[in-house]
Amino acid sequence: MPLQITGALGDPDLIRLPWEVPLQDWPQRHLVDLPRGISRHVVRFARLSGKVYAIKEISERYAKREYRLLWDLARLDAPSVEPVAYVAGRENGLDAALITRHLQFSLPYRAVMSGTLRPDTLTRLLDALAVLLVRLHLNGFYWGDCSLSNTLFRRDAGAFAAYLVDAETGEMHPMISEGQRRGDIDVAHTNIFGEMLDLEAGGLLHPSIDPMGTAEDIVARYHRLWDEITQSEIIEEVDWHRVEQRIRRLNLLGFDVAEMMVRRKVGTGRLIVRPKVVDAGHHQRRLLRLTGLDVEENQARRLLNDLDGFRVAKGLRHEDEAIVAHRWLAEVFQPTVEAIPAELRGKLEPAQLFHEILDHRWYLSEEADADVGLATAVTSYVDNVLVHKPDEKALLPDEDAAQAAEEPPAVSGGLRGAGEAAQ
């Protein structure tokens, strides 16, 4: 079978990569060095036309399967990497390959660590992983291999947002069964216990962190969140405010409630109330609607808080929300991000930069016992904090300089469009 690339390709140059060569032997001119997690397969990052793609060498059966599962997750807006294509029919009996788009500003959990993994950092990683697993289960997705290693993390205003990066063992169902859900939790417990033991053996685990306690902690965090989202609540009719309180709690967790199921408990004056949660992203959607900024959930909450503060400070309480948001974007957010030197903007994404500047302003103001202002905070943050941070964006060298004089050899085969079945 000749070489075939099946997918929603945005870059036809993908077919010109050296698919006849094993991935581990690809010339450096095609690759970019980025932090990689632990994987049972060979994974490389290729640079094309200013974009970075993750390429995983895997059998054709699993490449097709994972590609389709990732598309299913994308259609559901679940937090996962974006599928691009899968490659079959490589020469010399080489395995197929799965191509996904590199998730900008994301890091594997080992790259999040600085020296040893501190307890507070681990707590934030586990929280993010619990939210990810709950979101997947709400969408009917059984992961089958939940672990820190199969997850990418993006900074999210003091917390982390987690993304599924490996769906090889996953299954999509109309609704996940209780057995599948508990099976996923058992796998997560086992995998995370093993990962903590591995870190401990390498001297990368803080002495106060217990591997078994950590594995049990992720299970407890998951169950607390799942129960908050799905459990029925029995209330007296006069206590309807408790329903409103629960909706607010779910909104704070980032979940929207589409409707409430309410029925009377037989033989009593009590009501059984169960919320129907539709999806995470409550604050994300509001910020996107108001400003066009597409950011993580906690970042959105922080930016919305600043927007609300701007409304009060400017005496705009009675002004239309969309008009206030436009002014805040033009007068506060954009000037702050643009004040960062261009060569330093790749270190963090704009929303995270803005969040950290707000934090820095707060600390400076506490020390000065007076508001130092945003301009002073930006200057101090750049000079004393940002310059020391590593780049978290995939920074690409100049494409012309990166390309070798000799073009890569052409490969035989055709380019297939999205939706076409592989033969």
Side-chain angles (χ1 to χ4, degrees), residues 47-259:
R47 176 187 57 237
L48 287 172
S49 306
K51 297 184 179 68
V52 176
Y53 300 93
I55 302 174
K56 176 170 70 173
E57 217 162 40
I58 190 172
S59 72
E60 182 175 349
R61 173 189 173 192
Y62 284 105
K64 291 180 183 179
R65 186 172 183 277
E66 187 167 2
Y67 171 78
R68 289 166 182 157
L69 281 171
L70 287 173
W71 264 120
D72 288 339
L73 290 171
R75 282 191 286 269
L76 293 169
D77 198 27
S80 58
V81 293
E82 179 186 344
V84 175
Y86 64 88
V87 182
R90 296 172 69 194
E91 294 179 13
N92 305 316
L94 293 175
D95 270 342
L98 175 70
I99 307 172
T100 57
R101 197 177 303 282
H102 172 63
L103 185 64
Q104 290 281 43
F105 298 100
S106 67
L107 297 167
Y109 81 100
R110 285 175 172 264
V112 173
M113 299 183 301
S114 176
T116 58
L117 182 59
R118 297 176 298 162
D120 62 332
T121 303
L122 179 60
T123 296
R124 289 180 288 153
L125 291 177
L126 294 179
D127 278 338
L129 186 58
V131 171
L132 171 62
L133 193 53
V134 165
R135 290 188 65 181
L136 293 173
H137 286 172
L138 288 172
N139 282 317
F141 185 78
Y142 168 76
W143 194 344
D145 198 14
C146 175
S147 68
L148 291 169
S149 298
N150 287 336
T151 309
L152 287 174
F153 296 90
R154 297 176 76 179
R155 299 191 190 278
D156 184 14
F160 288 100
Y163 289 76
L164 177 146
V165 71
D166 192 329
E168 183 181 336
T169 56
E171 298 173 9
M172 184 63 75
H173 302 273
M175 180 180 295
I176 194 168
S177 71
E178 186 66 11
Q180 290 167 329
R181 194 172 68 82
R182 293 193 174 274
D184 244 357
I185 294 299
D186 288 342
V187 169
H189 181 279
T190 301
N191 284 346
I192 291 171
F193 178 54
E195 287 167 333
M196 293 300 104
L197 289 176
D198 184 51
L199 292 175
E200 186 177 58
L204 297 173
L205 199 65
H206 195 277
S208 66
I209 297 175
D210 172 40
M212 179 56 75
T214 300
E216 292 171 351
D217 193 20
I218 183 64
V219 174
R221 289 170 189 274
Y222 169 88
H223 283 307
R224 282 198 299 270
L225 182 57
W226 182 262
D227 289 345
E228 180 68 47
I229 290 171
T230 63
Q231 204 168 55
S232 297
E233 184 174 7
I234 300 176
I235 64 169
E236 302 289 347
E237 286 191 57
V238 295
D239 291 335
W240 189 256
H241 65 277
R242 288 174 54 187
V243 176
E244 296 173 349
Q245 290 172 352
R246 185 168 183 189
I247 291 174
R248 284 197 293 270
R249 288 200 308 271
L250 290 169
N251 289 162
L252 286 173
L253 289 169
F255 290 87
D256 272 335
V257 177
E259 58 190 41

Side-chain angles (χ1 to χ4, degrees), residues 395-417:
L395 297 178
L396 306 182
D398 180 77
E399 286 296 315
D400 293 333
Q403 289 177 346
E406 182 182 358
E407 290 292 332
V411 292
S412 61
L415 187 67
R416 308 189 64 160

Side-chain angles (χ1 to χ4, degrees), residues 3 5 13-23 26 55 57 87 90-91 94-99 411:
L3 184 76
I5 301 183
D13 285 343
L14 281 168
I15 201 169
R16 305 192 64 179
L17 289 171
W19 296 111
E20 74 282 1
V21 177
L23 191 55
W26 276 20
I55 302 174
E57 217 162 40
V87 182
R90 296 172 69 194
E91 294 179 13
L94 293 175
D95 270 342
L98 175 70
I99 307 172
V411 292

